[in-house]
Amino acid sequence: MKTYDAIVIGGGHNGLTTAAYLAKAGKSVLLLERRHVLGGAAVSEEIFPGYTFSACSYVVSLLRPNVIRELELPRFGLQILPLETTFNPLLDGRYLLRGKDPETTYRSLAKFSKKDAETAPLFSQAMAELSRMVKPIIDGPAPDPASFKPKDLFSLLRLGRIFKDAGEDFVAAQVKMMTMSAVDFLSEWFEAEQLISPMSASGIIGTFLGVRSPGTAYVLLHHYMGEIDGSFRAWGLPKGGTGAISMAIAKSAQHFGAEIRTNAGVSKVLLEGDKAVGVVLENGDELRAKTVISGCDPRRTFLGFVGEKSLDGDFVKQIKRYKMRGSSGKVNLALDRLPSFKSLPGDGPHLKGDITFAPSIDFLEKAYDDAKYGAFSRRPFMNIVFPSVTDPSVAPAGKHVMSIFVQYAPYHLKEGPEAWPSQKEAFGDAVCNMVEELAPGFKSSILHRHILTPWDLEKEYGLTEGNIFHGELSIEQLAFFRPASGFARYRTPIRNLWLCGSGAHPGGGVMAGPGWLCAKTMLEEGAV
Amino acid sequence: MGYPSPFHERMVALNETWKYKDWAGIVSPCRFIENHVYEYTAFRQATGLLDVSPLYKYEITGKDAGAFISYVTSRDVTKMKPGRVTYLCWCDDHGKVIDDGTVTRLDEQTFRMTAADPQYAWLLGYSSGFDLKIDDISRTMAALALQGPTSRDVLKSCSDLGELKFFGSVAAKLAGKKVRISRTGYTGDLGYEVWCDWNDGVAVWDACMQAGKAYGIVAAGLDALDMARIEAGFILLGVDYFSALHVTVPEKKSSPYEIGLDGTVELDRDPFVGQKALRAAREKGSERALVGLELDWPELEAMYSEHDMAPALSSMASRESLPIYLDGGQVGRVSSSSWSPTLKKYLAIGSVRRELSAVGTVLEVEHTVMFERRTVHARVVERPFFDPERKRKP
């Protein structure tokens, strides 16, 4: 039987990235995907004939530029289309439109606050500056503060120097970001709630926190990191859906010699002593490899594929405490026509961008209140895109696809997560009713409806508790804490078992950072 | 003062930016919305609708029309079949290029020619002795380009267009008007150009826009076109080369061999304008050659990050002339450059010493970072940079 240099579990974009980098380095690699289609949560699926959806994740945010380049992704079909305005419809019939054009943004903000309109560019600049300082953290393995290895000390030193050079203001801002709530942090800059509210919403995406919860300011930073990669590549709409990114990485991996199998679910990691030597498939087949790399989340990897018995008690405790708790769902619609928003009727550039519905801070907090007590938000926060407006290839001529990210949809319902299937349609109705309120007549344009609850995200896509980031991006679960202290460098307590998914540093989002850094670490350390 | 295009009222209504420029005396939109990348994206993902009426256009009819065009241009068009289009250039007696354009054969005795500069006088100057008539239809015939992967669907749903081969041309009915549709364009993608009476322009525009709704049609301006044409590797008169009629400095003139138009020159046939000089130029070999260049992006990123900056390049195509160096000496110049959103590369079109024009050659291009002139490595690559199969596929 063939012994591979590496077996990668899971064909999500990170697993594929690791496979591609290892194959590029000349290693024999086999990637196993449980589903019939590659991509994990970065997947395109023709759910209804003629309509292709980015079923789960729906925009490209921080896809690492070096990954695009080194894996030659444009050559394998990657195309990122512009998505550059943010439209915020309000309940009182007004709206906010922010975009690439500073004048439009200024005029739109000035309707609410002239002061904020002038402050907004300064804020962006300050955030870009902050994220530039933080960038080395996401573009390298997490420093390990407990290590005395020269390399780790050096990277800590480098980080320390960044902080020192940056001066007090930077350190103060950084501490504020790590401890404050998104609303409090933004309120230090802005006064108009109509602006603070949608901006703060980006601090809660994918977390089980509210915009007034401490620590949510930090996630805002992630939204500005794209800017420092240059406006050329990092942010946008993947042509053909998010799955097109995964497919480009897969084609690159195959080009470099990796073998990819779909419909090949793994049931466990094969162990000999404390060493991983391969995997056992759901059909009972055994496959052997010198190293096994899991692109699945830490909970599934350690408690599912490895098993508590083979792990140290303390480590098991850490993994059990690691917060998954999914908080969001997705409604994907096929539409007969585009909706006409009450606040800005008809077609226009606002339908080409991102639409964030977060009309007030209280609105967001009330949406969170529902979730705190185990129910989905009756009136949810929504992030909407219409990919077919810019990319007609995803829908039949004249028709459209609509992607609605919805929060909150807590995994742990009052009645238990298994109650989700019985509440799924009601959840879909709540979302569609909310859109109808903003765009009367919208419901009559719906041709097909596809709903993903956290339960579906877990059962179909393998995201434990439906957490879209493989674990919350809260400060105590980032960098050298991700997913467990002492194991933030892609290594695990099991020899030759590695972690390359979003549950590893630098975390979730379609950035391929963990996948790339895991492969890089393995190659540098001669582990494969 | 600018002259209005046949689509002027429609374009003004759509233009949110008030950004126009003069193209051959006609008021032409640079862009319709602030972010021109959307318009560029339409060329590559849907359909971009672009006014190309400012092109100069001539209809040449008569028994000797074919022989005449063959005499004044670089190609023998007498062999062309009716319903075909060809791309060519024309030169002065010294074999230096005056202009480039397309020639369409409508029937045995009727041809249409496009040009970037006015050429009526120049054509007339060679016409004595030929049995023909030259009509300047530049400002009586409108032209509308539909470029992009869905352009065929758009035209099929608003006209009686059937199958049309790459570089084919056919008479058609659109919006009840008589038009001519050619499968040509300046974006290097699947695309068509609709030629119609100037006064029918608005009706044709409306029909295309209406039909295009289902296919993601977007009105596009010249900023988007400039990016697409660079990806397609097309040269532009007045930017990548200069007309021999309008420059006085001999070094600024170009033979077709120096600007990548080798393929348009059919030398061995009956005498034509510039033939002798072109023959000599071909034998001698030109000193310069047009090249496609790809800038080393990681190096650019590194140069900017020395100043803690992201690469601060414009998302617009640039027409700035930049020196190309090798080992400290200047060996050529870049004439057009652009970020390619599709290829995720920074591309340039330039002219270098012929011995340095082979694909794979690594040169250096000037680049200014933080007010400091530096150089970045650039590799010679094949042109077109972007060449999708759909462009010529039946």
Side-chain angles (χ1 to χ4, degrees):
Chain A
M1 194 173 69
K2 178 172 180 177
T3 301
Y4 291 91
D5 290 328
I7 286 179
V8 179
I9 309 173
H13 76 284
N14 276 311
L16 289 163
T17 301
T18 301
Y21 272 97
L22 294 180
K24 195 181 174 193
K27 309 298 172 189
S28 64
V29 181
L30 171 67
L31 181 137
L32 302 165
E33 166 56 42
R34 180 178 48 86
R35 297 188 72 213
H36 60 287
V37 54
L38 290 170
V43 67
S44 299
E45 293 181 72
E46 194 176 328
I47 299 168
F48 308 106
Y51 296 89
T52 300
F53 291 92
S54 296
C56 307
S57 158
Y58 53 100
V59 290
V60 204
S61 47
L62 292 167
L63 189 58
R64 306 317 303 141
N66 62 299
V67 173
I68 297 179
R69 192 168 55 237
E70 287 157 9
L71 298 183
E72 300 174 57
L73 300 185
R75 179 179 158 197
F76 298 108
L78 174 80
Q79 285 190 30
I80 299 175
L81 313 183
L83 184 82
E84 273 159 4
T85 58
T86 297
F87 170 54
N88 308 124
L90 299 171
L91 286 166
D92 62 8
R94 293 187 295 170
Y95 70 91
L96 209 64
L97 184 63
R98 291 170 286 152
K100 200 179 177 177
D101 161 29
E103 281 308 311
T104 313
T105 306
Y106 176 88
R107 285 198 299 270
S108 183
L109 289 180
K111 284 188 298 187
F112 300 97
S113 161
K114 195 169 170 175
K115 174 178 158 282
D116 287 2
E118 287 185 18
T119 307
L122 303 177
F123 177 76
S124 295
Q125 208 176 309
M127 294 299 276
E129 189 70 2
L130 269 179
S131 41
R132 187 176 57 74
M133 306 270 190
V134 179
K135 185 178 142 107
I137 304 176
I138 67 164
D139 273 342
D144 182 352
S147 162
F148 288 101
K149 282 187 206 154
K151 207 178 149 196
D152 291 332
L153 284 174
F154 179 74
S155 69
L156 263 182
L157 205 67
R158 201 181 48 169
L159 211 62
R161 202 156 51 216
I162 291 169
F163 276 75
K164 186 170 149 280
D165 291 351
E168 274 175 39
D169 289 353
F170 169 73
V171 176
Q174 195 65 19
V175 171
K176 280 183 175 183
M177 294 224 73
M178 288 178 175
T179 54
M180 287 175 88
S181 77
V183 166
D184 286 344
F185 183 78
L186 289 164
S187 300
E188 291 195 346
W189 289 80
F190 301 109
E191 61 184 11
E193 190 181 1
Q194 293 88 345
L195 174 64
I196 296 171
S197 174
M199 285 180 91
S200 68
S202 55
I204 52 160
I205 285 185
T207 76
F208 197 85
L209 292 168
V211 287
R212 287 197 181 112
S213 311
T216 47
Y218 175 75
V219 185
L220 293 176
L221 250 197
H222 274 244
H223 288 260
Y224 288 88
M225 296 228 184
E227 306 215 348
I228 45 169
D229 293 332
S231 53
F232 294 108
R233 44 181 80 236
W235 175 258
L237 194 70
K239 174 178 162 67
T242 325
I245 300 174
S246 304
M247 292 315 293
I249 304 173
K251 281 184 196 148
S252 172
Q254 284 168 323
H255 166 79
F256 290 120
E259 198 182 315
I260 293 177
R261 278 191 223 166
T262 51
N263 293 311
V266 167
S267 71
K268 61 182 188 203
V269 172
L270 198 59
L271 298 175
E272 275 175 11
D274 64 346
K275 207 166 82 177
V277 294
V279 297
V280 183
L281 296 185
E282 281 167 355
N283 68 9
D285 288 358
E286 277 186 23
L287 296 164
R288 295 200 159 244
K290 291 179 196 151
T291 57
V292 176
I293 304 127
S294 172
C296 300
D297 68 63
R299 195 79 67 77
R300 180 167 302 257
T301 301
F302 296 114
L303 307 186
F305 300 146
V306 175
E308 282 186 41
K309 286 199 199 82
S310 310
L311 293 161
D312 181 63
D314 275 349
F315 182 78
V316 170
K317 257 190 242 163
Q318 284 202 60
I319 294 302
K320 282 188 173 168
R321 280 198 298 252
Y322 180 74
K323 290 194 295 264
M324 305 296 291
R325 32 176 225 189
S327 61
S328 53
K330 192 76 198 293
V331 175
N332 296 311
L333 300 171
L335 300 183
D336 186 44
R337 59 180 184 276
L338 288 170
S340 179
F341 284 88
K342 214 159 47 177
S343 53
L344 187 54
D347 272 359
H350 63 296
L351 299 181
K352 288 188 163 131
D354 149 295
I355 301 173
T356 299
F357 176 61
S360 73
I361 295 163
D362 281 352
F363 180 95
L364 293 173
E365 281 291 309
K366 277 181 193 147
Y368 181 43
D369 284 345
D370 288 336
K372 277 193 284 196
Y373 307 111
F376 61 79
S377 307
R378 300 294 133 174
R379 289 163 69 74
F381 154 62
M382 300 181 294
N383 187 243
I384 301 169
V385 288
F386 297 100
S388 50
V389 176
T390 312
D391 175 12
S393 73
V394 295
K399 311 291 182 201
H400 289 280
V401 294
M402 178 176 188
S403 156
I404 314 176
F405 171 86
V406 191
Q407 198 156 323
Y408 297 77
Y411 175 80
H412 294 286
L413 288 174
K414 195 163 54 218
E415 302 82 357
E418 50 302 328
W420 261 116
S422 66
Q423 297 196 21
K424 186 169 175 167
E425 293 305 318
F427 170 64
D429 290 344
V431 173
C432 291
N433 289 336
M434 196 69 254
V435 181
E436 177 77 22
E437 207 177 311
L438 301 169
F442 155 76
K443 285 215 280 192
S444 66
S445 70
I446 300 172
L447 301 172
H448 304 285
R449 185 164 94 168
H450 172 249
I451 303 164
L452 284 177
T453 69
W455 181 258
D456 303 309
L457 290 174
E458 178 175 78
K459 297 298 165 228
E460 184 61 36
Y461 295 94
L463 297 167
T464 301
E465 294 189 19
N467 189 294
I468 60 172
F469 293 140
H470 286 197
E472 267 184 11
L473 295 180
S474 46
I475 197 75
E476 76 283 11
Q477 300 200 154
L478 287 174
F480 36 80
F481 296 120
R482 195 168 186 89
S485 68
F487 295 99
R489 308 287 289 258
Y490 315 99
R491 275 189 191 278
T492 70
I494 304 290
R495 264 166 66 199
N496 300 338
L497 174 67
W498 297 72
L499 195 66
C500 73
S502 295
H505 177 78
V510 188
M511 64 168 139
W516 158 55
L517 288 170
C518 175
K520 187 174 173 231
T521 308
M522 290 176 74
L523 291 166
E524 277 175 7
E525 297 185 5
V528 63
Chain B
M1 200 179 89
Y3 189 77
S5 129
F7 313 111
H8 187 76
E9 51 183 300
R10 291 295 184 265
M11 295 197 298
V12 168
L14 284 173
N15 195 333
E16 294 178 0
T17 68
W18 295 6
K19 287 182 180 139
Y20 297 90
K21 66 176 166 191
D22 176 298
W23 175 11
I26 288 183
V27 184
S28 298
C30 299
R31 49 176 75 191
F32 288 86
I33 55 173
E34 276 307 335
N35 186 1
H36 66 293
V37 180
Y38 277 112
E39 296 169 20
Y40 158 85
T41 303
F43 286 142
R44 297 287 179 241
Q45 308 300 339
T47 295
L49 187 71
L50 177 86
D51 173 21
V52 289
S53 308
L55 282 170
Y56 289 93
K57 308 166 219 87
Y58 305 96
E59 188 162 287
I60 301 165
T61 41
K63 199 161 59 60
D64 295 338
F68 169 70
I69 295 170
S70 306
Y71 177 65
V72 292
T73 71
S74 63
R75 276 193 202 274
D76 178 0
V77 302
T78 57
K79 302 172 297 187
M80 275 175 80
K81 290 200 183 81
R84 294 299 299 162
V85 186
T86 190
Y87 171 67
L88 43 68
C89 66
W90 49 101
C91 301
D92 65 6
D93 286 333
H94 308 289
K96 301 296 183 184
V97 182
I98 289 170
D99 202 343
D100 64 303
T102 59
V103 167
T104 306
R105 183 165 207 167
L106 277 64
D107 55 45
E108 266 320 298
Q109 299 200 359
T110 315
F111 292 81
R112 277 184 195 158
M113 188 169 171
T114 68
D117 272 352
Q119 302 294 349
Y120 183 71
W122 190 82
L123 290 170
L124 210 60
Y126 284 98
S127 66
S128 61
F130 288 98
D131 180 0
L132 54 81
K133 186 164 74 99
I134 302 171
D135 282 316
D136 185 346
I137 53 171
S138 302
R139 301 296 171 255
T140 53
M141 189 168 72
L144 190 59
L146 290 92
Q147 303 280 306
T150 64
S151 56
R152 180 191 282 127
D153 301 319
V154 176
L155 279 175
K156 281 198 167 173
S157 62
C158 66
S159 74
D160 59 352
L161 176 72
E163 289 312 307
L164 186 60
K165 282 190 191 149
F166 189 46
F167 270 71
S169 161
V170 69
K173 266 258 163 100
L174 199 162
K177 311 291 183 190
K178 273 201 223 161
V179 301
R180 206 164 172 98
I181 299 175
S182 59
R183 190 164 157 190
T184 47
Y186 197 51
T187 62
D189 215 299
L190 172 66
Y192 299 82
E193 286 165 317
V194 180
W195 312 83
C196 66
D197 191 273
W198 195 269
N199 298 318
D200 293 340
V202 169
V204 167
W205 174 282
D206 288 347
C208 290
M209 267 300 196
Q210 184 55 35
K213 254 190 190 164
Y215 301 98
I217 202 165
V218 167
L222 297 176
D223 290 344
L225 179 68
D226 221 9
M227 295 173 79
R229 72 100 186 162
I230 291 171
E231 286 181 339
F234 291 133
I235 52 169
L236 181 60
L237 178 68
V239 175
D240 301 296
Y241 78 100
F242 302 94
S243 172
L245 291 183
H246 302 310
V247 294
T248 46
V249 185
E251 300 94 287
K252 254 186 127 177
K253 299 180 180 180
S254 307
S255 89
Y257 305 111
E258 292 170 322
I259 54 173
L261 297 181
D262 315 40
T264 68
V265 186
E266 292 169 352
L267 262 187
D268 302 315
R269 54 186 176 93
D270 287 347
F272 64 97
V273 180
Q275 186 184 39
K276 215 190 268 174
L278 286 168
R279 210 168 251 155
R282 189 182 60 173
E283 251 149 57
K284 188 169 158 244
S286 63
E287 284 181 13
R288 289 182 287 131
L290 191 86
V291 288
L293 293 164
E294 198 183 294
L295 269 57
D296 189 324
W297 189 262
E299 199 178 303
L300 269 179
E301 275 185 340
M303 275 160 57
Y304 281 92
S305 62
E306 283 173 31
H307 297 281
D308 290 333
M309 289 160 73
L313 287 117
S314 166
S315 60
M316 278 177 64
S318 162
R319 294 176 175 188
E320 190 184 0
S321 184
L322 296 166
I324 301 176
Y325 298 103
L326 183 65
D327 303 328
Q330 187 172 348
V331 295
R333 69 153 187 135
V334 159
S335 47
S336 295
S337 52
S338 179
W339 169 253
S340 162
T342 299
L343 302 172
K344 300 234 169 283
K345 286 173 178 166
Y346 204 85
L347 311 175
I349 293 174
S351 168
V352 296
R353 294 213 312 257
R354 176 161 296 272
E355 65 272 22
L356 300 173
S357 64
V359 167
T361 310
V362 176
L363 304 165
E364 292 152 44
V365 173
E366 182 181 291
H367 189 79
T368 302
V369 182
M370 276 297 276
F371 318 110
E372 194 181 60
R373 285 185 192 187
R374 304 174 62 170
T375 60
V376 59
H377 285 100
R379 203 163 47 89
V380 177
V381 296
E382 297 278 1
R383 268 183 324 128
F385 302 99
F386 176 67
D387 195 14
E389 211 179 294
R390 60 184 180 246
K391 179 174 85 177
R392 55 189 87 229
K393 217 173 161 185

